[in-house]
Amino acid sequence: MNILVINSGSSSLKYQLFKMPEKAPVCSGLVERIGEAGSEVSDHGVALKKVIAAMSEGPNAVIRSPDDIVAVGHRVVHGGERFKGPAIIDEAVKKQIKRLFSLAPLHNPANYKCIEVAEQTFPHAKQVAIFDTAFHQSIPEMAYRYAIPEEYYKEHRIRVYGFHGTSHKYVSEQAMGWLKNPEAKLISIHLGNGCSMTAVNAGKSVDTTMGFGPLSGLMMGTRSGDIDASVVFHLMEHSGYTLEQLSTLLNKQSGLLGVGGTMDMRDIRKRLEQGDEKARLAVLLYAYRIKKFIGAYAAVLNGLDAIIFTAGVGENDVAMRAAVCENMEYLNIVFDQQKNTQYKKELLEINADESPVKILVIPTNEEYEIARQCFELVS
């Protein structure tokens, strides 16, 4: 069964074509800088049309006609409270995705555009939505409610939704298989440009660092992570900041970029080697937040079997993993630096042999997880 997976970010579009149930993709690719100044790709609709042309034209074509595609799996960032799993896309589902534009303004409109183009291009294929928020719908009320009057939840649906759910679900299932323990207590640490952590108990999300939107929790590439709301009030009252300026500050000018001068951890490392004090502080802040949430989630889970590092920084930054895991013996986390340097794009334990808690580096595979969920639903 040919399943095309579309994973669209705010300014990028990743795709993979799977012949399910085989795990290795038939083809894959990435379109970047969508909508940016000087880019030839004005929006996600244009990007997807380029992808389809690349797959179906020329000597390297992998599909002969639109009917070769049985299903198209779409990553949709925000599904609100309604969607607890994958959904066949119909007019009602599309209406709900549009309704949530304001909660994910950089992502849901792009996801919606790709759905429209895919419907036109593959009229006989099933269109399936896989929601980033779905995995976190198992979080209990005491964790997803904010301590504000009830009407703000009932009328405005203000609560913790959580994100990166597809990634957290995939790596936690891989960890449970590795540990041969379906009841495992896990902390999944997804570190990319966006960063989040999730406490997972027996395969279910019970708490996560991102909340109503993707701004809270960990320090990220350009997002501040947790910050006292009083800072917002102070800047509005004493410096005349507008809501738009505050949103830009906290979402696009903070995090690694705001503290260390660049949003890319690889560039931070280069500056650190040159003795840059701002880079040093950025790394310290970044690691400290992760450590703090490991302690918090170990308490929430009342125990811990493994922590998982995944995504771009989690999989590739040896020094960051060391900074997080060192001096954690109190939580039965005993780190092995030699093992830490041996990661080669496949699941690896980097804990000492005697460590009661395992430290796992697991490459995430959101596209395959989307394809797998589509396959199960359509089959």
Side-chain angles (χ1 to χ4, degrees), residues 75-335:
R75 176 206 179 203
V76 180
V77 165
H78 216 307
E81 289 186 302
R82 175 175 172 180
F83 299 104
K84 295 177 172 60
I88 299 289
I89 295 171
D90 56 18
E91 289 306 311
V93 171
K94 288 168 67 177
K95 186 175 180 180
Q96 184 67 13
I97 293 170
K98 285 188 76 172
R99 191 174 293 156
L100 294 165
F101 276 11
S102 62
L103 298 189
L106 298 179
H107 292 87
N108 268 37
N111 304 151
Y112 189 90
K113 185 69 175 179
C114 288
I115 290 169
E116 288 189 315
V117 173
E119 285 177 329
Q120 296 164 7
T121 308
F122 306 105
H124 299 120
K126 294 284 187 185
Q127 307 291 329
V128 181
I130 308 295
F131 297 93
D132 258 13
T133 48
F135 181 58
H136 300 300
Q137 286 299 298
S138 55
I139 292 176
E141 186 176 27
M142 63 183 178
Y144 74 67
R145 284 286 296 273
Y146 291 112
I148 56 177
E150 186 179 33
E151 60 261 30
Y152 290 94
Y153 169 60
K154 288 191 170 180
E155 295 175 20
H156 302 284
R157 314 317 291 178
I158 294 176
R159 54 158 288 177
V160 169
Y161 289 102
F163 301 92
H164 293 145
T166 307
S167 176
H168 289 302
K169 183 177 191 297
Y170 177 81
V171 297
S172 60
E173 288 177 350
Q174 295 295 304
M176 287 186 291
W178 177 262
L179 298 170
K180 298 182 173 60
N181 181 7
E183 304 298 317
K185 296 178 178 182
L186 307 167
I187 298 175
S188 173
I189 308 168
H190 178 108
L191 304 176
N193 186 44
C195 302
S196 67
M197 291 170 60
T198 296
V200 181
N201 191 358
K204 294 186 180 297
S205 171
V206 295
D207 204 350
T208 193
T209 56
M210 284 182 169
F212 182 69
L215 179 59
S216 64
L218 301 177
M219 178 178 172
M220 308 180 213
T222 63
R223 298 185 189 121
S224 66
D226 282 349
I227 189 168
D228 184 347
S230 300
V231 174
V232 174
F233 307 147
H234 178 85
L235 289 174
M236 291 179 73
E237 182 177 355
H238 296 285
S239 301
Y241 274 61
T242 65
L243 288 174
E244 184 178 0
Q245 287 174 320
L246 287 166
S247 177
T248 299
L249 168 65
L250 297 179
N251 280 294
K252 298 180 181 179
Q253 297 174 343
S254 298
L256 288 175
L257 177 63
V259 179
T262 174
M263 63 186 286
D264 193 308
M265 184 62 81
R266 292 167 293 190
D267 295 331
I268 291 284
R269 290 292 175 199
K270 290 175 185 175
R271 294 185 180 199
L272 191 59
E273 290 172 3
Q274 296 163 2
D276 189 314
E277 278 298 306
K278 290 182 179 179
R280 185 188 69 84
L281 180 61
V283 168
L284 288 174
L285 263 65
Y286 193 98
Y288 178 79
R289 289 279 181 92
I290 299 167
K291 265 187 185 288
K292 186 165 72 170
F293 276 107
I294 289 174
Y297 285 171
V300 165
L301 292 165
N302 189 27
L304 189 58
D305 293 301
I307 62 174
I308 305 162
F309 288 94
T310 194
V313 177
E315 294 172 35
N316 297 303
D317 196 310
V318 173
M320 181 53 65
R321 294 197 297 265
V324 170
C325 294
E326 288 173 340
N327 302 316
M328 296 277 273
E329 289 81 6
Y330 182 78
L331 289 177
N332 288 324
I333 298 170
V334 186
F335 175 67

Side-chain angles (χ1 to χ4, degrees), residues 13-26:
L13 188 152
K14 291 189 284 187
Y15 70 93
Q16 291 191 19
L17 176 64
F18 293 90
K19 191 174 182 64
M20 294 297 289
E22 295 175 19
K23 191 170 184 178
V26 175

